[in-house]
């Protein structure tokens, strides 16, 4: 059983060498009397929150740390090979938390969702049909309280979550601008995802001035994925009754001392709302989301771009690449295709 193990706790930017790929043995059978599920992992999802799990456990986090010497874990798409659980049987396809390894014995079966729709790429259950999709759905529709015609700004806009938020906002009739870290990503936002405008934040010396250029009347909704200087710039450009959905702050995850945000007084001056959320609190709405998004995919109203890394060995590089913006779209690792 090939596995990706955490070598030791990480400080600062994660490196490929913080993980090892090793082979160990596993019995391809659920132990007698156990309610666990034995799966073959097909697609693994690289997600920014996994960085928090590489910290020494004393650093506060909403989810536990990985164990040095043990395989890391994350969302994935898997096929059931053996099951001691009445809800799962051999041959079922599932998505949920699994190990970064070829085969996993999953005991936390409450985090598994059964896959019923297989007329879409299975890898989509790491992205648009999985956790990042639910994040875009809950964050945009529930936290942003969006209305037709509003001015929407999305950061890390070409990524797993951002590309969907922008498309959902366009479908609602909003004016949408995205920021991303390369020319190719900016082109993707404008030409593939239908954003009204997009810019490369790395080429802007004054982010506040850049936002003023695209939002002369200010921003109604900011879908926050990056934090730091971008958040400050948005606060300076908020409209009255603006809303900020704090989905994540990837620019801060590798800093030992997070950057200060100086413009928070905009929240009362503009009578604005800033609200954080964690997607697992919305998983009870997953079937509602599928009802909305599956037709969108089939009718071509929403498109989804993935960045596919082949083989478990490519996992560590793919994962750390999230923090340098190497990924173009949703970063997926293929372990096996069936
Ligand atoms: P992405 O697919 O967007 O990948 C991460 C991207 O972040 C990179 O490609 C890079 O794009 C950008 N980035 C990396 N470092 C920086 C930096 N220092 N400053 C600005 N941008 C940076 O990831 P996801 O779509 O999966 O996640 C987006 C955000 O959503 C993250 O903050 C994540 O933690 C959060 N999240 C929150 C959830 C929740 O429940 N609240 C659930 C899922 C995700 P670029 O080239 O544009 O810089």
């Amino acid at each position: 059983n090939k596995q990706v193990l955490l070598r030791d706790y990480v400080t600062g930017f994660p490196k490929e060498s913080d993980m090892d790929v090793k082979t160990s043995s596993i019995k391809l059978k659920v132990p007698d009397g156990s309610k666990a599920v034995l799966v073959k992992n097909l697609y693994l999802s690289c997600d920014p929150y996994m960085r928090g799990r590489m910290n020494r456990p004393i650093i506060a986090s909403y989810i536990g740390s990985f164990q040095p010497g043990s395989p890391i874990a994350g969302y994935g798409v898997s096929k059931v090979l053996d099951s001691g659980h009445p809800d799962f049987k051999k041959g079922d396809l599932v998505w949920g938390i699994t190990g970064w390894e070829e085969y996993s014995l999953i005991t936390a079966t409450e985090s598994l969702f059964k896959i019923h729709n297989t007329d879409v790429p299975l890898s989509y259950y790491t992205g648009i049909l999985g956790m990042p999709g639910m994040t875009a759905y809950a964050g945009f529709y529930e936290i942003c309280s969006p209305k037709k015609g509003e001015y929407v700004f999305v950061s890390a806009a070409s990524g797993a979550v951002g590309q969907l938020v922008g498309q959902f906002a366009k479908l609602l009739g909003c004016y949408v601008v995205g920021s991303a870290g390369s020319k190719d990503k900016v082109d993707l936002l404008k030409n593939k995802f239908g954003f009204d405008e997009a810019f490369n934040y790395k080429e802007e010396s004054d982010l506040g001035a850049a936002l003023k250029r695209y939002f002369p009347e200010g921003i109604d909704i900011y879908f926050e994925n990056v934090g730091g200087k971008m958040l400050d710039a948005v606060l300076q450009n908020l409209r009255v009754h603006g809303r900020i959905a704090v989905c994540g702050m990837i620019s801060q995850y590798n800093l030992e001392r997070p950057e200060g945000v100086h413009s928070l007084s905009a929240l009362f001056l503009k009578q604005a709302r800033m609200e954080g959320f964690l997607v697992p609190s919305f998983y009870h709405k997953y079937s509602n989301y599928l009802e909305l998004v599956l037709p969108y995919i089939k009718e071509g109203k929403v498109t989804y771009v993935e960045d596919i890394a082949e083989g478990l060995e490519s996992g560590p590089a793919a994962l750390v690449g999230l923090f340098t913006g190497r990924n173009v779209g949703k970063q997926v690792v293929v372990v096996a295709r069936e």
Side-chain angles (χ1 to χ4, degrees):
N1 188 21
K2 209 183 287 169
Q3 302 180 305
V4 175
L5 312 175
L6 182 70
R7 207 174 263 186
D8 198 358
Y9 297 120
V10 175
T11 45
F13 274 79
K15 302 179 297 298
E16 212 180 316
S17 60
D18 290 326
M19 289 159 270
D20 284 320
V21 181
K22 287 196 174 155
T23 303
S24 69
S25 64
I26 181 174
K27 271 214 178 104
L28 291 182
K29 192 177 171 333
V30 171
D32 288 341
S34 160
K35 287 203 155 172
V37 173
L38 177 81
V39 298
K40 179 179 187 191
N41 294 313
L42 305 179
Y43 299 96
L44 295 173
S45 175
C46 296
D47 291 293
Y49 82 92
M50 293 167 74
R51 171 63 187 85
R53 302 197 69 184
M54 295 177 163
N55 287 332
R56 205 169 277 286
I58 45 171
I59 298 175
S61 170
Y62 63 95
I63 188 160
S65 292
F66 297 133
Q67 283 283 328
S70 293
I72 65 169
Y75 284 92
V77 175
S78 316
K79 189 162 82 180
V80 175
L81 297 185
D82 188 19
S83 171
H85 196 287
D87 293 351
F88 300 97
K89 59 175 195 311
K90 186 176 174 190
D92 281 349
L93 290 165
V94 294
W95 73 267
I97 300 287
T98 190
W100 272 45
E101 53 194 351
E102 288 172 294
Y103 302 94
S104 298
L105 188 67
I106 301 177
T107 49
T109 46
E110 65 281 1
S111 79
L112 295 180
F113 293 83
K114 256 201 225 180
I115 294 177
H116 299 290
N117 297 281
T118 51
D119 53 350
V120 285
L122 265 187
S123 56
Y124 276 16
Y125 288 91
T126 66
I128 182 169
L129 297 177
M131 184 277 278
M134 269 305 292
T135 303
Y137 172 69
F140 182 63
Y141 293 108
E142 307 258 342
I143 309 290
C144 297
S145 317
K147 289 187 283 295
K148 187 175 176 189
E150 286 193 315
Y151 299 127
V152 176
F153 176 54
V154 188
S155 54
S158 69
V161 177
Q163 57 175 300
L164 290 174
V165 174
Q167 293 180 82
F168 292 159
K170 278 312 297 173
L171 283 167
L172 192 69
C174 298
Y175 168 80
V176 187
V177 179
S179 64
S182 74
K183 183 182 177 304
D184 287 353
K185 291 183 182 185
V186 167
D187 288 346
L188 209 54
L189 292 175
K190 290 204 277 200
N191 303 326
K192 181 133 186 134
F193 302 132
F195 283 56
D196 295 288
E197 293 287 351
F199 65 92
N200 180 350
Y201 67 95
K202 292 180 179 165
E203 285 180 348
E204 300 289 343
S205 53
D206 182 344
L207 291 173
L211 290 174
K212 186 141 232 101
R213 207 159 70 225
Y214 295 109
F215 296 97
E217 294 175 52
I219 296 168
D220 291 303
I221 289 174
Y222 173 43
F223 197 97
E224 164 70 300
N225 284 323
V226 305
K229 292 186 182 65
M230 189 64 94
L231 175 57
D232 252 332
V234 169
L235 285 163
Q236 293 156 19
N237 283 279
L238 265 190
R239 278 187 112 183
V240 172
H241 301 307
R243 282 139 276 147
I244 300 177
V246 184
C247 175
M249 296 195 170
I250 194 169
S251 74
Q252 307 298 296
Y253 297 171
N254 303 308
L255 305 181
E256 281 171 66
R257 216 181 269 238
E259 275 172 278
V261 172
H262 306 287
S263 310
L264 283 171
S265 52
L267 290 178
F268 72 87
L269 295 173
K270 293 289 165 69
Q271 302 171 72
R273 175 158 63 80
M274 183 165 167
E275 183 177 352
F277 70 99
L278 288 173
V279 66
S281 313
F282 294 90
Y283 280 165
H284 60 286
K285 299 196 170 176
Y286 181 56
S287 56
N288 304 35
Y289 174 57
L290 284 185
E291 269 172 43
L292 174 90
V293 81
L294 281 169
Y296 277 168
I297 296 172
K298 288 172 190 164
E299 291 159 20
K301 287 188 177 153
V302 167
T303 171
Y304 202 60
V305 170
E306 301 179 308
D307 192 332
I308 303 280
E310 289 291 339
L312 193 58
E313 298 78 4
S314 65
L319 180 58
V320 305
L322 294 177
F323 301 96
T324 54
R326 199 183 87 161
N327 61 308
V328 180
K330 168 68 207 170
Q331 184 66 62
V332 182
V333 176
V334 184
V335 186
R337 284 199 157 75
E338 55 181 349

